[in-house]
Amino acid sequence: MIKAPLPASEQQRLTALRQLEILDTESEAEFDSLAKVAALICEVPISLISLVDENRQWFKAVNGLAGVTETPRDVAFCSHAILGQQLMEVRDAREDVRFRDNPLVTADPSIRFYAGAPVCLSNGHNIGTLCVIDRQPRQLTAVQKESLLHLAAAAAKALEGRYATSMLARELREKQQRELQFEALTKSAPNGVFFLGRDGQCSYVNAAWEAIYQMDAAAAMGHGWTTRILQEDKGLVFQQWGQALIEKKDFSLEFRIVMPDLSLRYVRSLASAIYNEHGQLVNFVGSVEDISLRKRHEQQISEDQRRIKLATNSGRIGIWELDLETDRLVWDELMYRLYDMPDTGTELSYQDWRARLHPDSLQQAEQEFAQAVIDADEFEGEFTIRWRDGSVHHIKNSAHIQRDARGKAIKLTGTNWDVTKLRALSEELSDQRELLEVTLSSIGDAVITTDDNGQVTWMNPVAERMTGWQSIEARGLPLIQIFHIVNAETRLTTENPVQTCLQQGKIVGLANHTLLISKDGTEFGIEDSASPIRDKQGRVLGVVLVFHDVTESRRLSGEMYHRATHDALTGLVNRAEFESRLLKVLNDAHHTQSSHSLLYIDLDQFKLVNDACGHSAGDLLLQQVSKLIGESIRSRDTLARLGGDEFAIILEQCPQEYANRIAQQICDNMENYRFQHDNRRFRVGTSIGLVPVDQRWQNPGAIMKAADMCCYAAKEAGRNRVHVWFDTDLAIRTRHGEMQWTTRIENALDEARFVLHAQKISAISAGLEKVHAEVLLRMKSEDGNLVMPGAFLPAAERFHLMSRIDKWVVRQSLDRLMQLPDLSILDMLAINLSGQSVGDRAFHRWMEETLTEAGDDICRHLCLEITETAAVTNLADATVFIEKVRSLGVRVALDDFGAGASSFGYLKSIPVDYLKIDGQFVKDIITDPLDFAAVRCFNDVAKVIGVKTIAEFVENREVLAKLQEIGVDYAQGYLIHQPEPLENLLMASPRSLLGFPS
């Protein structure tokens, strides 16, 4: 057997093989498939993908040799095959001197035939072979040889692809790991971390940053973080930021930020620029540190130094200096007096000071001194010394430690002063304070003391229990954070009594109905007082707050009050309380000229239920009706049971128009309500009298009497309806007439006695080529005469019949248009809609369905006219309705523009195509300058928003000429056209429909 020589670049080849990280890995389908394909093409039982390592050949893919994964390199055929770039073929191994005595030939697997194509990487190194083996001599065809070479190349590409994929996956994992590490680092970092763009816009902050700024991440994004910067510091921050950008240096600055409670916090912000591979600045990453505590310490030190200097100048503080290298101690004159030592002129040392220390202080004082020398810049302490007469004195020490360039302490310079008297006084005060605290802890009231800034200094156990705060954790916090009080009725925060006491300097108490909400949410009814704490000079040092729990007594009082003011059966307000509230509302109406409403409600058929089913059923009916009525009113309104089956409602800040809607809603709900008892159903209605509560009434009795009369009138009119109060007999007669009209209107609808007329609208500057007209409604009386709309529409509006009428008009108008043989003669047919329909969402749905059914061609020839008042009154619903019909191709006109109290501002939110200027401004435009100015103003506004204008009541040529001068687009009135039946107008010849009359 001849051993194969090593390739010339063996070390590089082995390095390339190992970099693939393929050796000793699990089998993979991709490489197994290549081996099987090679066996099939070459028609042999065995095929391998063999990788030649330093001492072995290892098989990545094995086909036909079960249980074999590697062989020694010395016996490997592949060791020879990797020496060249061409396919190596051994047709009969027993005849080849290189392999005839090879154990792979002479023993299992008894190789006779071998063909191996080198697996060559893109770097030129042959790392192994794709080989085929047979136990019989054979020879490959040219096609099989070429195929084997291609499969070997494919194996090389697959190995490199696998390596590239694993490297990419590894890089991705490493990147994700770095990102997770960064995220964990920023989350756990004690300092705030942030990302800013070069323009200062924030894109990331961590939790520590949010805690420091007391601002959540969403609010900080963009320039939101800058809102926390104190206004006086913003200029410096922005200046330093700009300078950092220009000079391409780090940003470092200390500034102040404003907390939500308006307190200030000092922060130190550091930011470094991050550049991309092109050297372009991408963003800044920075950190922020809360240095408020350090600033306070600095201020305290500064204050202490000032005080020390003042004390030193007054001659009561001794100054000393100790050189640690020479152990030389220098005292001034006062130091000798403090230590009761004569100044003999002898040089002092550390041991001289140590010798004067009292044995009880010696060990601690020396330890503090030694520790300060090791790692401190300042040495503060207090110790006791013993004089020659045996007396003990307390000495306070303060020193500065000077260090050399290596940080070694070389000198201490400090001061000492006698605090013996202060210590004795402190101990005396401590005893008195302990006695006071024991006393206050023993009383039943809660006690909290604060300093002159309103910050808690002490709490007794009762206060701890009621607030949920321990005295030790509350100390130093603002009282408002500990003592959370609200009004029991409004739940609004109550004025802080301590703050008021500090401002006024006198005893103050809490308002009635005050609730204390503890830390855990427990509520206590309390009464309290806050008294200032003064010194001998009368200066306020703080406040003592004393309060006690009145929850139970307040509950009992509230329960008694509720029983006295509410109906026991329904839980509603009773008559006495109702009249009391009515008096308050009436007084408010007199003082503020506000408008309220009163509903007086009487149940219809209640006696029938009571007589037929008994009083218990009657009581159940009253309870159900109370709930049903309550669902129709606002929470601020007052619903009361006056007695029997009579109820009343006070609608505060509710004009008559809205009150009428609420009353009608109650009637509608009762109309649908059925009372069931013992398998019997009863229909129960309501008769409602509506009276405005305003300045016309002198007392509640007059209002109640008027409401009762209205309620009776509603019953007389047919029950389950609303009757509105009118001041005069004429109004009542008019009301009676309107009630009669309702029957006539309903009969006319049922008997199809409404007819449609129309009036043309013409362009002023250029004649229309098509019909443009407004549909007008008439009613035929029983005797066949036409009744104008002014006679019956007020009653229809009053009794909510307008939506039925509007539906009839729309349906009939659409039918007329559908019957036209040719719609091309028609430009637009305008149909009026009432305010009730505009505000009725059910009508909106019906209109949308009807217009959709009519089709796009019809919709393009329709215009809906809505009065300005109706649109403004129902602004939200009107806007939605208008946008919907316009999306169907229908045009919209704002009718009677200028007649209402609305402003031009509503035009921004109401999308319309035409403004119809109210006729009251048009008819006197020649003689009234104010009308002329109004019309011109309306027209100018319409032009600005791109809306056409139509002038109503054009009755002479002078008015028409003036309108043309102003620039109004269209005119309508008797000068233009006398109204006529809609059929006549639509069926007339096209020529007769065009232009102005001669």
Side-chain angles (χ1 to χ4, degrees), residues 557-574:
S557 176
E559 184 176 333
M560 293 175 62
Y561 175 78
H562 186 273
R563 290 179 179 179
T565 57
H566 287 73
D567 174 52
L569 176 64
T570 61
L572 302 179
V573 170
N574 60 19

Side-chain angles (χ1 to χ4, degrees), residues 779-815:
M779 185 175 77
K780 284 185 179 180
S781 64
E782 291 80 352
D783 58 7
N785 294 322
L786 287 182
V787 181
M788 300 303 286
F792 60 85
L793 285 185
E797 291 178 347
R798 183 78 67 185
F799 293 98
H800 298 275
L801 296 172
M802 281 307 303
S803 291
R804 288 185 59 190
I805 294 175
D806 287 344
K807 288 182 180 179
W808 186 90
V809 173
V810 170
R811 187 71 268 170
Q812 294 298 316
S813 299
L814 292 178
D815 288 344

Side-chain angles (χ1 to χ4, degrees), residues 11 23 199 213 222 305 336 389 581 585 601 704 785 871 967:
Q11 290 303 318
L23 296 174
D199 58 354
Y213 272 70
Q305 290 175 343
Y336 286 100
D389 61 5
R581 296 188 185 185
V585 172
I601 304 171
M704 294 294 288
N785 294 322

Side-chain angles (χ1 to χ4, degrees), residues 576-625:
E577 176 64 14
F578 181 82
E579 291 178 348
S580 174
R581 296 188 185 185
L582 180 59
L583 177 60
K584 292 179 182 178
V585 172
L586 180 59
N587 290 336
D588 177 72
H590 280 280
H591 293 150
T592 65
Q593 286 75 49
S594 56
S595 179
H596 315 281
S597 297
L598 170 67
L599 303 182
Y600 195 101
I601 304 171
D602 187 86
L603 299 187
D604 301 329
Q605 307 302 331
F606 173 74
K607 187 175 183 302
L608 175 62
V609 175
N610 224 18
D611 293 343
C613 304
H615 292 293
S616 60
D619 290 346
L620 180 60
L621 169 61
L622 291 174
Q623 291 172 340
Q624 292 181 2
V625 169

Side-chain angles (χ1 to χ4, degrees), residues 430 432-452 454-464 467 469-479 482-483 498 533 541-547:
S430 177
Q432 293 179 359
R433 179 183 180 87
E434 183 177 356
L435 177 61
L436 177 62
E437 289 183 355
V438 170
T439 302
L440 292 176
S441 297
S442 302
I443 66 175
D445 287 350
V447 181
I448 300 177
T449 61
T450 74
D451 59 18
D452 58 352
Q455 294 179 328
V456 175
T457 57
W458 183 80
M459 301 168 65
N460 75 344
V462 179
E464 290 179 332
T467 63
W469 289 81
Q470 295 297 313
S471 181
I472 190 171
E473 64 177 341
R475 188 174 298 124
L477 296 177
L479 178 73
I482 309 302
F483 190 64
V498 169
I533 303 173
L541 303 178
V543 174
V544 57
L545 177 68
V546 181
F547 55 96

